[in-house]
Amino acid sequence: MGKVAKGNRMMRMAGLVTGAALAMMPVALWTGPAMARAGAATGSAAGSAGRSEADKAFEALSTDEYAWRQQQAGPSEDGPRDRKIMLPDLGPQAQAARLARWEKVEQQLAAIRQDRLSPANRINFAVYKGQIDALLAAQRYRDYEKPFNADTSFWGELADWARTPFRDRDAADAYLEMLREIPRYYDQQIVNMRAGLARGFSAPHVTLTGRDKGIEMVVQAASPEASPFYEPFKNLPATIPAADQEALRAQAREAITKDVVPAHARLLAFMRGEYEKGARQTLAAYALPDGQAYYRSKINEFVTLDKSPEEIHQIGLSEMARIRGQMDAVMKQVGFKGDLKAFLHFLRTDPQFYPKTPNELLYRAAWIAKTFDGKASQFFGRMPRSRFAIKPVPDDVAPFYTGGRGGPGIYLVNTYNLPSRPFYSQIALTLHESAPGHAMQMPLAAENTDLPAFRRDSYLSAYGEGWALYCEALGEDMGMYETPYDRFGMLSYQAWRASRLVVDTGIHAMGWTREQAQQYLRDNTALSDHEIETEVDRYISWPGQALAYYMGELTFLDARHKAEKALGPKFNIRAFHDAVLEMGAVPLPLIDQRVDQLIRDGGKGPYPDEE
């Protein structure tokens, strides 16, 4: 479903990439780690004598802006704890300054001669230019006036971030300073949301039910120690003396009482009063101010391809028909007598397919992840150093959270409402969210020091979600699906993501109702009713993001088929996977370029020890 800190992480203003930069990018040969080490990595002094003035200008510009961009962002739940982190200024002057800075960067990029960049920096330029395009579009449309959706919220981000232990005393002090900043930060969010309400730029009213539960839990906590914001103080590192630990805990209790709880109380009153009363009754992005252009900007951001809603809708219908044929074959394999609707009802209601306890679900996820570990070396030549834990989704978000979510160091499994968490979907879910999906792909990018920081740190939905969905299908090659029902669960997940192309464009560009979208998923996937309801609300409140998954997967599949056909017996699945993963998150057309280079190299992967 996506990484823990993924997508449009609003507080961090994450480096999102669009395909807009590709139209201006000169044709470039792909260069691997060796070329990058020769001086293409931004900010590196290596190979400086061979760098052009264009290279130097681009590297100086991107390095300076990216360092500034990081200062603008707030904490994330997987962010570092060893530096001072302040919540960003969201006031009008700060927003105007961001707009001005990115407009200036846009002008500076236009002045750089791309044909004089090194081959590696042409790739870096395309990725970086896409990030600036996305940031500028979000700033111009004032996305900060709608700072949450049915999936992600600024208050939930802070609560998530609070669950990670401190590394040292400095991290604890920085966290306390952040707690004291929450009133200012939340008050600025309220001002911005109020401005959004005034111009009809709000979350749809129908998606608001229950989304304020996390705020309420903070307000109603029985004591400061019961607050989620106190969590990291329960087990402070032994490097902090006992007396200092008690002093830190006292400061935490004071900050939670005087700052955190009142700020959440004001936010809760605003959300349940002014915001609920004023939130728009419409669903479509097209109904927002300048809605058609806004939705198209989201397609560019999340898909990184120049596609219209109508084109994407048609691709979804075509793929759904193809997957439906594969589903029919599985039904025949298990000897089911009846149509798809009857089979889906059987899957949704038969107790054999559902866990009885949370641990049963968690233990199965762990077993699946370890089963992949035994197969990994056959399919991947380079594995990340980072490992991941498997934990349940926190109670405050579980009722409207996805079935699972993964990222660096973590695979969250939703144990809420067990009758909606079928076993037959869990292999596909685990391959997507843990390894070789998000919990593997993202650390590989972060650990690749041949990439500039703005590529190591950023997340691009079309690439990241496309890769994770490709990993679900890869489970067939790896022999992961133990029963026909497991395979049907994978096909249902494929249909779910293909149906998003139909549903997201249907809602936002074609006038579909919430009930129409829910019924389409109910008719075409094995998702439970609870999952269908939470998913549709997510699509309604987060225009375009749901398109990234299947459009990205199609790109990875097409690239693999192209390489297999061109290389024949020289095709090496390990080399292919290493080649597309070493890039980090890039716009989809660059995947095709990378595979073209793999073909020119005779199928040889990016690492010297690879056969």
Side-chain angles (χ1 to χ4, degrees), residues 22 31 70 92 119 124 128 137 179 195 209 239 288 323-325 327 351 364 400 447 482 485 504 509 514 557:
L22 299 175
T31 58
Q70 288 180 304
N124 290 334
Y128 180 76
L179 293 183
T209 302
T239 54
L288 292 168
I323 297 168
R324 183 72 172 264
M327 287 179 161
R364 180 162 168 77
F400 47 85
E447 293 169 14
E482 299 170 355
Y485 297 109
D504 194 281
R514 184 175 183 238
L557 288 172

Side-chain angles (χ1 to χ4, degrees), residues 443-478:
L444 276 173
E447 293 169 14
N448 187 354
T449 56
D450 292 326
L451 299 177
F454 67 81
R455 289 179 62 184
R456 292 196 305 272
D457 300 342
S458 62
Y459 185 83
L460 175 60
S461 290
Y463 179 96
E465 300 300 343
W467 168 257
L469 188 52
Y470 166 83
C471 289
E472 295 179 23
L474 183 65
E476 287 201 86
D477 296 312
M478 295 189 293

Side-chain angles (χ1 to χ4, degrees), residues 46 225 246 270 301 480-481 565:
E225 292 87 350
E246 288 308 309
F270 171 77
E301 175 182 318
M480 292 291 296
Y481 297 108
K565 182 178 179 180

Side-chain angles (χ1 to χ4, degrees), residues 24 58 61 102-114 125 128-129 132:
M24 300 177 61
F58 168 67
L61 170 63
W102 287 321
E103 285 180 337
K104 181 179 179 180
V105 170
E106 182 182 49
Q107 295 169 1
Q108 291 171 313
L109 287 173
I112 293 174
R113 288 284 300 272
Q114 295 179 57
F125 186 98
Y128 180 76
K129 175 66 161 59
I132 297 302

Side-chain angles (χ1 to χ4, degrees), residues 13-14 16 18 65 69 95-109 128-144 297-298 301:
M13 293 173 289
L16 300 174
T18 71
E65 183 278 331
R69 193 194 314 174
Q95 301 293 2
R98 291 182 188 114
L99 178 62
R101 178 67 182 262
W102 287 321
E103 285 180 337
K104 181 179 179 180
V105 170
E106 182 182 49
Q107 295 169 1
Q108 291 171 313
L109 287 173
Y128 180 76
K129 175 66 161 59
Q131 292 182 5
I132 297 302
D133 287 345
L135 290 165
L136 258 178
Q139 202 68 12
R140 286 167 174 162
Y141 284 110
R142 307 208 299 274
D143 269 349
Y144 53 83
S297 78
K298 291 303 172 186
E301 175 182 318

Side-chain angles (χ1 to χ4, degrees), residues 140-143 145 194-202 288-289:
R140 286 167 174 162
Y141 284 110
R142 307 208 299 274
D143 269 349
E145 293 180 354
R194 186 172 286 130
L197 285 175
R199 66 186 184 98
F201 190 76
S202 74
L288 292 168

